[in-house]
Amino acid sequence: MIIMDLWNQRDLVPPVLFTFQCKTKHCKDEIRALYSTIQNASDYFTNQQGFEKAAAYVSRFTVNWSNRFYNMHGFRLFKRINQALLRVRSVDIGRILLNLLSLLPEGTFLTKTIDLPTLANLDYLMIRLQGLSKLFCHIVAITREAARYYIRFISTGYFFNLNSIFICLLAEVWYKSRDICTKVVHYYEELYPLRNILQNNGKPWPTSGDCDLPKSLSKWLGDDWVKLIDIDVDSGEGILNIGTDSSLFLFLTGDDEDLASGKKIDAAIEKKIATGGVESSKPKELLVQRIKADEGEVVRRDSKPKATKTDLKVVDNVKSKFDVKKFLDDEKRKRQTDINQAVTGKVKDQVFNVFAKNMLRELNQLPTKELVQMFKEELSKIIRDKTQARKTTNK
């Protein structure tokens, strides 16, 4: 049976909230420091609306785009980030801090004897901070790899707009997770020396053995912490620079060479370049070249729309009363929406209305043959009269 470390247990049973009496003669400064640190940590973790909003966007994106990009490596990394963020939320570090803060007296005035929380309650908080630091280091590493993947897709022109949205969201999660991780390490290392003033009262916790906590959380994190901290150093080989003069494509050169996903993407891009699929092997130059080449297109529109030629072939298809009624209804609709598409487009509204009323009046009085003949003669007449009137005016 494999026994996991305490920091890695998701269902770790917390100790009972309990206090013991402590004499404050020789530890007033430590008690004030303990209260101040937990108060600051509680205020910080309960005011992370920006991080919670970014995490909610990640969750929503994974649901909305899972059917379309389920087999894409970058989107699988996106789903792993979502799982890590859900685990961060399940810890609920804000509630743990508030519970511990409720057992502490305010540091302004201390009596000779006060009630303090037991050592087990503080150790539980520090174990949760230890686990959170690992989670946030994991999130920072995955967001960098996912961003590197999406930037390579942008360099080849695939899903430019959508990948840009993914990168913006990943950048926000990466930045906030990195900031929270540094705060977690800071509060942990402030709380560790204050364990000496506390003691246990009642049953020991944890029941599986002693609580072995590292003195320095940054040293315990090891390489994960070094990569997380050194990521913004301005100089150094293999270090990513994110200053104001930096470029988005530094993600392509700042990562480790042994990333399997990066090698696969590099090979795919090189293959596409070899077959003539892209114009340059340098993503930045390729992007600049495409932006310069797309200078837009001049669009001009005439001041007056060109009128369509009158098409009298439609009239030849009129052979019944139903056809006459349908033609009149279509002409009324076309004259209201787009008069250039109407057969009687050049006829005045008053002339056309008189013609339509006469046809509707004779619809139920004349036989079909006489009505159709009368309809064609009257229609040809009003169109011919309008055309002759226009020619006379031009002369």
Side-chain angles (χ1 to χ4, degrees):
M1 179 179 180
I2 300 175
I3 300 177
M4 292 188 298
D5 295 331
L6 293 176
W7 64 268
N8 200 24
Q9 295 184 16
R10 297 179 60 183
D11 300 327
L12 180 63
V13 179
V16 179
L17 293 176
F18 208 73
T19 59
F20 73 99
Q21 288 188 348
C22 175
K23 294 182 180 180
T24 61
K25 183 177 182 181
H26 301 291
C27 58
K28 290 184 179 180
D29 294 338
E30 289 81 357
I31 294 173
R32 292 190 178 97
L34 179 63
Y35 177 82
S36 177
T37 302
I38 295 179
Q39 178 68 57
N40 294 335
S42 178
D43 294 340
Y44 178 79
F45 285 106
T46 54
N47 291 282
Q48 291 297 326
Q49 288 81 8
F51 174 75
E52 293 175 359
K53 185 176 181 180
Y57 274 118
V58 171
S59 178
R60 186 50 47 198
F61 271 51
T62 53
V63 173
N64 289 345
W65 298 100
S66 60
N67 292 333
R68 187 174 183 181
F69 300 115
Y70 70 96
N71 202 27
M72 184 183 289
H73 176 72
F75 193 77
R76 289 182 178 179
L77 295 176
F78 218 82
K79 295 177 73 173
R80 287 173 59 187
I81 295 171
N82 183 42
Q83 290 296 326
L85 292 173
L86 291 175
R87 292 181 182 179
V88 169
R89 186 178 182 182
S90 65
V91 174
D92 200 0
I93 193 67
R95 179 184 57 82
I96 299 173
L97 287 165
L98 288 175
N99 290 338
L100 190 59
L101 189 64
S102 64
L103 301 178
L104 286 170
E106 294 186 4
T108 55
F109 177 75
L110 298 175
T111 59
K112 292 182 179 181
T113 304
I114 60 173
D115 291 334
L116 292 178
T118 58
L119 179 60
N121 297 127
L122 181 61
D123 286 347
Y124 178 73
L125 170 64
M126 297 182 69
I127 288 171
R128 284 312 187 193
L129 292 176
Q130 191 180 1
L132 278 180
S133 64
K134 271 288 187 181
L135 271 175
F136 281 114
C137 285
H138 179 64
I139 292 172
V140 169
I142 299 179
T143 49
R144 287 191 62 198
E145 186 179 353
R148 183 170 181 264
Y149 182 89
Y150 283 116
I151 289 174
R152 289 184 179 275
F153 263 92
I154 284 181
S155 68
T156 58
Y158 288 118
F159 299 105
F160 186 91
N161 295 333
L162 185 59
N163 287 334
S164 300
I165 296 175
F166 284 153
I167 289 175
C168 292
L169 183 56
L170 288 171
E172 187 172 5
V173 173
W174 171 83
Y175 178 78
K176 293 184 181 299
S177 299
R178 183 171 173 270
D179 182 64
I180 294 174
C181 190
T182 55
K183 287 290 185 181
V184 168
V185 174
H186 171 72
Y187 291 133
Y188 179 94
E189 295 186 350
E190 280 192 355
L191 290 172
Y192 188 85
L194 303 177
R195 296 175 68 246
N196 297 328
I197 64 174
L198 302 180
Q199 63 184 15
N200 283 320
N201 186 7
K203 294 182 180 181
W205 185 92
T207 56
S208 58
D210 296 334
C211 185
D212 186 15
L213 294 171
K215 294 181 180 180
S216 176
L217 189 56
S218 57
K219 292 182 180 179
W220 179 77
L221 290 171
D223 293 339
D224 294 337
W225 177 251
V226 172
K227 292 179 181 179
L228 183 140
I229 291 299
D230 291 344
I231 203 168
D232 61 345
V233 179
D234 293 333
S235 61
E237 186 177 359
I239 302 302
L240 183 64
N241 176 19
I242 57 171
T244 56
D245 58 342
S246 61
S247 171
L248 180 69
F249 289 95
L250 285 176
F251 268 105
L252 301 180
T253 58
D255 284 306
D256 299 331
E257 294 295 333
D258 57 348
L259 287 176
S261 60
K263 287 187 176 182
K264 291 179 181 179
I265 300 167
D266 289 338
I269 293 175
E270 290 177 2
K271 182 178 179 181
K272 190 172 181 63
I273 293 171
T275 57
V278 294
E279 303 158 356
S280 174
S281 61
K282 296 181 180 180
K284 184 177 180 181
E285 294 180 3
L286 172 64
L287 184 60
V288 173
Q289 182 179 357
R290 288 189 176 181
I291 292 174
K292 289 183 178 179
D294 187 12
E295 296 178 352
E297 181 181 356
V298 179
V299 179
R300 293 190 178 95
R301 187 177 68 178
D302 296 335
S303 58
K304 294 182 180 180
K306 295 182 180 179
T308 58
K309 295 181 179 180
T310 304
D311 188 6
L312 293 178
K313 293 182 179 179
V314 181
V315 182
D316 296 337
N317 297 328
V318 178
K319 298 179 181 179
S320 64
K321 292 184 178 181
F322 175 78
D323 295 337
V324 173
K325 181 68 167 58
K326 184 176 182 301
F327 177 86
L328 295 176
D329 293 338
D330 291 341
E331 282 296 297
K332 289 180 182 179
R333 178 178 55 78
K334 291 178 181 179
R335 290 176 68 89
Q336 292 178 357
T337 57
D338 187 3
I339 196 170
N340 294 322
Q341 300 296 328
V343 176
T344 60
K346 298 179 181 180
V347 180
K348 294 182 179 180
D349 291 339
Q350 184 177 2
V351 177
F352 175 78
N353 292 334
V354 172
F355 165 73
K357 289 181 180 178
N358 291 337
M359 290 297 103
L360 292 175
R361 184 177 64 251
E362 300 293 341
L363 189 66
N364 296 325
Q365 297 180 4
L366 295 177
T368 301
K369 185 176 180 180
E370 295 180 6
L371 177 68
V372 172
Q373 184 179 0
M374 179 181 176
F375 167 76
K376 292 182 179 181
E377 291 176 355
E378 292 292 333
L379 181 63
S380 300
K381 181 179 178 181
I382 61 175
I383 294 176
R384 184 175 61 254
D385 291 346
K386 181 62 180 178
T387 303
Q388 290 177 355
R390 176 167 293 185
K391 290 181 179 179
T392 305
T393 304
N394 292 336
K395 291 180 179 179

